[in-house]
Amino acid sequence: MKLRELLLRFVLGGLAVVLSYVASVLLPWKALGGIFAAFPAVMVVAVLMVGLSQGSEKAAAVARGSVYGMTGCAVCVVTVWYALKITGAWWPSLMLGLIGWFAGSFALLMVREKVQKNQHMHRLPRKQTKHV
């Protein structure tokens, strides 16, 4: 990867994170601020950069793969929220959330692969016909 691409990713990703933080601080509705704080900045920048450097097909593959990460984000948020309610300690809650993020993402990936494998195995072979 070229230095220019790395710098652009850093700047765009950082800008998205900063803007989401500013929105969460300035908006009077804290729940709406939380929505901005969960903005998928890294995914947007990754799809943009891959699209620019490698084309739409590769960008689409990155976007499809981000489904696992986004699912993991939902698991992370719920885990952190409940852990904070139970423990009141942000550090262990955050660590549990990160573990939940990875576990949720990985579990969805495994389920999808298993479903695809089962679908592939259960396909009936097509009859071959002879053309006269």
Side-chain angles (χ1 to χ4, degrees):
M1 186 177 313
K2 296 178 183 175
L3 180 61
R4 179 176 173 247
E5 289 181 23
L6 285 173
L7 288 173
L8 189 57
R9 283 184 189 208
F10 177 77
V11 169
L12 291 176
L15 181 62
V17 171
V18 167
L19 289 175
S20 67
Y21 172 74
V22 168
S24 70
V25 170
L26 295 180
L27 291 173
W29 309 279
K30 294 306 173 195
L32 189 59
I35 291 170
F36 281 102
F39 180 74
V42 175
M43 181 267 200
V44 170
V45 173
V47 170
L48 174 70
M49 295 305 300
V50 170
L52 290 173
S53 66
Q54 299 177 24
S56 295
E57 287 185 32
K58 294 284 186 175
V62 170
R64 278 191 303 274
S66 70
V67 171
Y68 307 115
M70 295 298 174
T71 302
C73 280
V75 172
C76 177
V77 168
V78 171
T79 303
V80 170
W81 183 38
Y82 277 114
L84 279 170
K85 286 175 75 172
I86 293 169
T87 67
W90 69 272
W91 182 248
S93 300
L94 185 59
M95 290 296 105
L96 285 173
L98 291 174
I99 292 168
W101 165 78
F102 180 77
S105 300
F106 191 72
L108 181 61
L109 176 65
M110 292 294 103
V111 167
R112 181 174 181 260
E113 285 184 358
K114 187 171 185 166
V115 167
Q116 282 183 330
K117 184 178 178 182
N118 285 340
Q119 286 176 344
H120 180 68
M121 292 178 72
H122 287 77
R123 286 187 185 148
L124 296 175
R126 293 183 178 176
K127 288 183 181 179
Q128 293 190 6
T129 58
K130 294 181 183 179
H131 294 285
V132 182

